[in-house]
Every structure is written in C-alpha cells, then in structure tokens.
Amino acid sequence: MIEELDDIELLEDDGEELSEQPAELYEHLRMEVDKGQEPTRIDKYMSEHLQHASRNRIQKAADAGFIQVNGNPVKSNYKVRPGDIVTLMLDRPHHDTTIEPEDIPLDVVYEDEQLMVVNKPAGLVVHPGVGNFHGTLVNAIAWHLRELPSYDPNDPSVGLVHRIDKDTSGLLVVAKTPEAKTELGAQFFNHDTHRSYLALVWGNFTEDTGRIEGNIGRDPRDRQRMAVFPPGSEIGKSAVTHYKVLERFGYVTLVECRLETGRTHQIRAHMKHIGHPLFADERYGGCEILRGERTASYKAYIQNCFKLCNRQALHAQTLGFVHPVTHQQMDFTSPLADDMAALLEKWRARTPKVQ
C-alpha cells in the first residue's frame, strides 16, 4: 500500500548530490510492502513503484541513509519482505501541496449545483505535482468556486472526477458535492460514461475501424511512459480502445478513439503499440518523421507542422454521463483546440482526403 505516491521530485535525477544525513529528517513517503511480495532489492522495488525515481537515485538516497525500513536505515541491497514499512526520510519538510485559489481563465461549458464541465486547454496541468505546484486546473476551479462555502479544493471527496494529460485538450467533469463525486466516480469505474477523443496519428490504416486491447502499465525502461502488455497479464491494468478512421491523409490519419477503460496515457500507449504513434507526441516517438517522403521540402513541411501543434495531437472531444441527481443523460462536445484545428487544415490543404 502506498499512502503518498505523488511525484517524488527529491529523488529525480536533477544533477544535484544528496547531502549527508542530518540530525533531523522529515518523512516524504511511506509504503507498505504487499502480501505475497517476493524478496526484492529495495532499489529495484522502489524504482518499480515510483514514477519519477530512477534506480540510481534511489541507491544514492539509501547510501546517504535516507531510506528506512521499519524505522531503520537500510542500504540499496536490502531485500524487502511482505509487511515491511518503507519510508523516505529527507532533510527538508515536504512541499506544501495545499491548493489555493488562483485567478486563471476557466472555460466552463456547463454548471449547476452538483457539477460543472470544463474545457481544458492544452498545456494546462490538471493537478499540482513536480514542477507545477501552482497554476493548475484545480487552482482555477478553486478560484471559480471560491464563494461556494461547501466546496473545499483540498477535500478529495469533491473536485475532478477524472483527468487528462497536460498537453491534451478537452472536456473534464468536476463534482461540487461528495454525493456527485461518488456517483460520477462509480460511472467512470463501471465504464458507464461515454468518452471520445480525436487523434491525428502517423500512418494509414488497413481497416476503417478497430479495437485495441492490452494491459497498460509503467514502462520498465522509461518510468514517465506507459507500455502495453498482453491482455490478462499480471502486469498493468486491462485497457480497451476502439478507433474509427475519420480522414486519411496518406502519411497521417485522423481517428476517433472511444475509451472502454480510462488508463494513464491509454490512447497514446495503445496507438504506439499498433504502430501509429500520435503526431507530435514526443514521449511516444511521434516527434520523428515516421511516414512520408525523403525530400527536403517534405521534412520542412513536417517541421512546420510540429511548430504549429507542438504537443500530442489529441483532443477529448465528447463526454457523456448520467446526472447524479436528475438521472438525465448529459452529453457534451468540445470544438477542436485552435492548434490542432490548424494542423488538420494544413494537412487538408496539402493532401486531399484518401478514400
């Protein structure tokens, strides 16, 4: 069990050396090793469970005396066992993650006493984390609802029901009451919501529709990326994405993706897995010229496309759910963000649709 698994920035490889163990330490992370865990080196165990912490950095932390098991410092070759309490102790207090209201523009698509639907622009971080403790969507929501006494932005029983990536644009639903969040959360958990995304991906498709199934879990070679594992695997969580071809441009294709599940980076990881990374998706290899011509003019054209939309070409276009109080079906559609709309027009101008 991991009580606190927000990005542990103090274990990132930032080029700074960890100091010698001081007289006073502060707890930054507490993990209880699960039942059935095989004896595993603590540096390997922690690197597999922490998104931004490299094994090398964990080893340095252990050597400096910052990693404890059951209250005692251990070295990086210590093997964790079921029930062990692993703590990360550092020489400075934990960063204050209290969410404060901030006057940030917020595009509210719908709002009533129970919930609100917002249209998030690309580039806006959803929730505070490493390097983004301020200026996030939840800070903007806190400002918008600052005069609502019952809404506490630091209360996990209210607020965002789901998330999308920083560089993905589109729709999100926010619960203003605990009852609304419980009901909406159950709909997302039971896959009763309707969500579709527009994605521009590299390559052409043989079929007009398709289904991608494969567990999604942390990529062991890159902790900031997700990887796809066989369905039914003990690694990762089950994930299903349905896609439909909307426009073909020969070298890239506009597809609609409908989520049956909602895993971290699901569309980005699934599309890369089938050989169609999202256009301009740096983390998943979409910032390379993966299809097309070898001419200088084509290379220049693609580079101009990357500049026009310098983030993964992914937009959360539709969102549908049952209202938690009225029980009416609620359906919303968001127009494409300007950068992605301009990118599509650029492809349309260059290449007529391929039928």
Side-chain angles (χ1 to χ4, degrees):
M1 179 180 64
I2 300 176
E3 293 184 359
E4 182 179 338
L5 191 53
D6 283 339
D7 301 328
I8 308 302
E9 72 274 13
L10 296 170
L11 280 181
E12 287 189 70
D13 287 311
D14 53 11
E16 296 183 4
E17 293 295 324
L18 291 162
S19 59
E20 294 297 324
Q21 185 178 11
E24 184 175 9
L25 294 176
Y26 302 87
E27 183 177 307
H28 281 248
L29 175 74
R30 175 175 291 262
M31 308 166 66
E32 180 178 347
V33 179
D34 294 333
K35 296 179 180 179
Q37 171 68 46
E38 295 291 329
T40 305
R41 283 179 57 114
I42 195 166
D43 55 347
K44 182 176 187 294
Y45 177 81
M46 291 184 71
S47 68
E48 290 175 347
H49 286 77
L50 300 179
Q51 177 178 352
H52 292 287
S54 70
R55 190 167 178 175
N56 178 262
R57 193 66 168 169
I58 291 169
Q59 290 171 349
K60 290 181 179 180
D63 291 342
F66 290 122
I67 294 178
Q68 299 182 2
V69 175
N70 304 324
N72 299 310
V74 297
K75 296 301 182 182
S76 56
N77 62 355
Y78 174 86
K79 292 188 176 182
V80 299
R81 294 169 176 80
D84 275 352
I85 303 298
V86 179
T87 53
L88 171 65
M89 310 294 293
L90 293 173
D91 57 355
R92 44 212 183 273
H94 198 285
H95 195 289
D96 184 6
T97 56
T98 302
I99 298 170
E100 299 291 345
E102 296 180 35
D103 188 3
I104 300 168
L106 189 65
D107 182 5
V108 179
V109 177
Y110 172 84
E111 183 174 9
D112 61 25
E113 294 180 353
Q114 301 294 322
L115 58 89
M116 57 191 291
V117 175
V118 299
N119 187 29
K120 187 189 83 69
L124 180 63
V125 177
V126 170
H127 198 276
V130 177
N132 297 286
F133 291 107
H134 302 284
T136 72
L137 179 63
V138 295
N139 296 112
I141 293 169
W143 178 271
H144 182 79
L145 300 177
R146 65 192 184 281
E147 295 181 0
L148 184 64
S150 60
Y151 186 84
D152 179 359
N154 294 287
D155 182 355
S157 69
V158 295
L160 284 167
V161 181
H162 60 122
R163 300 184 185 186
I164 58 178
D165 298 334
K166 169 188 174 183
D167 289 327
T168 298
S169 55
L171 298 170
L172 288 163
V173 61
V174 180
K176 296 167 70 172
T177 68
E179 295 76 16
K181 188 164 186 180
T182 298
E183 171 60 28
L184 290 168
Q187 292 184 44
F188 276 86
F189 181 80
N190 295 323
H191 314 312
D192 293 331
T193 58
H194 304 284
R195 286 179 289 167
S196 70
Y197 292 69
L198 292 182
L200 186 68
V201 304
W202 280 104
N204 205 350
F205 289 80
T206 303
E207 306 294 335
D208 288 334
T209 61
R211 181 179 186 273
I212 311 168
E213 181 175 4
N215 285 17
I216 291 181
R218 194 69 58 187
D219 188 335
R221 295 170 296 181
D222 183 347
R223 306 300 296 171
Q224 296 186 35
R225 189 170 66 183
M226 307 304 286
V228 179
F229 302 91
S233 170
E234 294 182 358
I235 305 175
K237 296 181 180 180
S238 62
V240 177
T241 302
H242 300 267
Y243 68 85
K244 176 183 178 182
V245 171
L246 299 181
E247 291 186 61
R248 299 176 185 269
F249 301 107
Y251 303 136
V252 297
T253 305
L254 178 66
V255 295
E256 178 190 68
C257 295
R258 182 172 60 83
L259 297 182
E260 192 170 306
T261 54
R263 309 303 183 196
T264 301
H265 295 185
Q266 178 171 323
I267 293 173
R268 299 166 70 185
H270 267 173
M271 282 296 167
K272 177 178 175 59
H273 179 66
I274 65 170
H276 296 283
L278 267 63
F279 190 85
D281 190 346
E282 182 176 6
R283 183 160 291 175
Y284 289 86
C287 273
E288 303 293 330
I289 301 178
L290 302 179
R291 301 287 193 283
E293 306 159 10
R294 297 184 178 181
T295 63
S297 61
Y298 178 74
K299 292 179 181 178
Y301 170 80
I302 295 298
Q303 292 303 321
N304 287 332
C305 286
F306 288 155
K307 291 177 182 177
L308 192 61
C309 183
N310 61 351
R311 48 100 177 186
Q312 68 260 14
L314 183 63
H315 177 70
Q317 183 186 40
T318 68
L319 174 63
F321 54 86
V322 174
H323 194 281
V325 173
T326 68
H327 304 298
Q328 297 295 311
Q329 178 66 35
M330 309 285 286
D331 293 294
F332 302 92
T333 300
S334 167
L336 270 177
D338 291 344
D339 60 347
M340 192 168 164
L343 175 64
L344 289 178
E345 287 305 315
K346 191 172 182 66
W347 275 100
R348 288 174 182 134
R350 183 184 189 278
T351 310
K353 286 191 294 184
V354 178
Q355 299 300 326

